[in-house]
Amino acid sequence: MTINSTIDSLDTLVRLRSTKVEKLQADMAAQHATKARYQANLARLDSLASGSGASGALPLALALNCGQYKLAVIALADNHRTDLSLHEATMAVSQRALTDAWSERELLGQVLEQKKGVAELARNRTERKREDDLATQSWLAGRK
């Protein structure tokens, strides 16, 4: 495998890893938006539970209805908190996958740059050798 084909292969791998990183970043952005929605919903549910007022000052039927409403809202908020904590755990796994993909992409990028440097050195050596050979030929031709 020549150095140019190695560079081309590494360049393709870097582009593929960059695409993977971009997809994972988009996924993380969507997960952050979902987390924000969960948090906003929890804030609304908490305000609904506290905003319904004291149920003890109402007539018996209304007090029972208000108490059941509060219990339902509190239960819904608890379910939402559980879902949020599960979502945050999923986000942690996704963040780890994003970090791994980014590290892999950076490592491949460094290897690509190193190979490009090696190829550039080889081209420079070849060019200098060609120039030295031309100079030697010119010098020898001038001596005759």
Side-chain angles (χ1 to χ4, degrees):
M1 185 177 235
T2 66
I3 191 72
N4 288 335
S5 62
T6 302
I7 289 173
D8 290 341
S9 297
L10 282 171
D11 189 48
T12 301
L13 279 173
V14 168
R15 281 188 277 116
L16 288 173
R17 294 303 184 265
S18 294
T19 302
K20 182 179 179 181
V21 167
E22 289 168 3
K23 285 180 183 177
L24 289 171
Q25 286 174 332
D27 182 48
M28 281 302 295
Q31 288 183 12
H32 279 291
T34 301
K35 180 182 176 181
R37 282 194 304 274
Y38 271 118
Q39 290 171 334
N41 288 343
L42 281 170
R44 271 189 240 116
L45 288 171
D46 288 339
S47 72
L48 283 174
S50 64
S52 65
S55 57
L58 300 172
L60 183 60
L62 288 175
L64 183 62
N65 189 16
C66 185
Q68 288 174 344
Y69 170 78
K70 279 185 180 182
L71 285 175
V73 170
I74 290 170
L76 184 59
D78 285 342
N79 285 339
H80 236 57
R81 282 185 187 87
T82 302
D83 290 345
L84 176 59
S85 65
L86 292 173
H87 181 72
E88 286 173 340
T90 301
M91 285 180 67
V93 170
S94 296
Q95 181 63 47
R96 179 68 183 159
L98 175 60
T99 302
D100 291 345
W102 184 84
S103 297
E104 186 177 343
R105 187 251 171 257
E106 287 300 310
L107 182 62
L108 284 171
Q110 289 173 1
V111 171
L112 175 62
E113 292 305 314
Q114 181 186 26
K115 293 294 182 183
K116 284 181 178 179
V118 167
E120 183 65 27
L121 277 173
R123 278 192 292 275
N124 287 344
R125 282 188 200 124
T126 303
E127 182 65 25
R128 279 195 308 267
K129 171 99 170 94
R130 188 184 63 78
E131 289 172 358
D132 288 347
D133 288 345
L134 282 174
T136 302
Q137 290 173 5
S138 176
W139 182 77
L140 287 174
R143 286 190 74 203
K144 292 183 182 181

